[in-house]
Amino acid sequence: MAAEQVITARGVLEPADGHGGIATAVLDALLPPRRARTSARLVKCPVSQYTVVSQDRPRKSQRITSVRVALHRRDEFEPDDLGFRERTLRLLRTDPGRAWRTIEISQALGITVTAKYRSLCTQINQWAEQTMLIREGRGRYRIAPEWLAPAG
């Protein structure tokens, strides 16, 4: 009925009920609301070197039956919340005269993912350019003397 009205424009210019036939037909056949997704969509790029399949992610979307919100209060600063820079500086302060290799730094910080290791190497190079670290050789760094004391 709606397709016929679109072609012939019957009931559009002079609606009998005030809405018009097309509007009535569309409103009578609305689709149900889309279901909520509980599973993130996958990027379909099988040749990507960064393809990581999460073990926590369900294979199929699942129906949401309830939602629970939990709030946690932190009274003290947790060292796990530190970024690469502060964690690296703390590590290098433990032995200031030593020239650390980037792989040793990443292992001591518990970095095992290749992308995070590359990010850490990039940041270490930037810190060396900013004179926070001293480059001893290829892939070897030690902390600069002015950075031995923690920032106040």
Side-chain angles (χ1 to χ4, degrees), residues 49-50 52 80-85 87-88 102-127:
Q49 62 179 338
Y50 303 109
V52 177
D80 292 342
D81 291 341
L82 299 174
F84 279 158
R85 185 178 105 166
R87 290 172 57 201
T88 303
T102 53
I103 191 73
E104 294 171 333
I105 295 171
S106 68
Q107 288 171 348
L109 297 179
I111 298 171
T112 57
V113 179
T114 304
K116 286 187 178 183
Y117 171 72
R118 289 179 181 162
S119 176
L120 176 67
C121 291
T122 301
Q123 289 182 339
I124 288 174
N125 284 326
Q126 290 173 353
W127 299 333

Side-chain angles (χ1 to χ4, degrees), residues 20-65:
I22 295 175
T24 304
V26 169
L27 291 173
D28 288 343
L30 290 177
L31 294 174
R34 185 176 179 170
R35 72 179 194 279
R37 294 187 182 269
T38 60
S39 182
R41 293 183 178 192
L42 282 176
V43 177
K44 295 182 180 179
C45 186
V47 295
S48 173
Q49 62 179 338
Y50 303 109
T51 309
V52 177
V53 178
S54 173
Q55 301 300 326
D56 299 334
R57 181 187 180 281
R59 289 276 184 203
K60 295 182 179 180
S61 295
Q62 299 173 356
R63 177 171 285 203
I64 298 174
T65 57

Side-chain angles (χ1 to χ4, degrees), residues 3-11:
E4 179 184 298
Q5 287 180 354
V6 168
I7 294 170
T8 62
R10 185 170 26 104

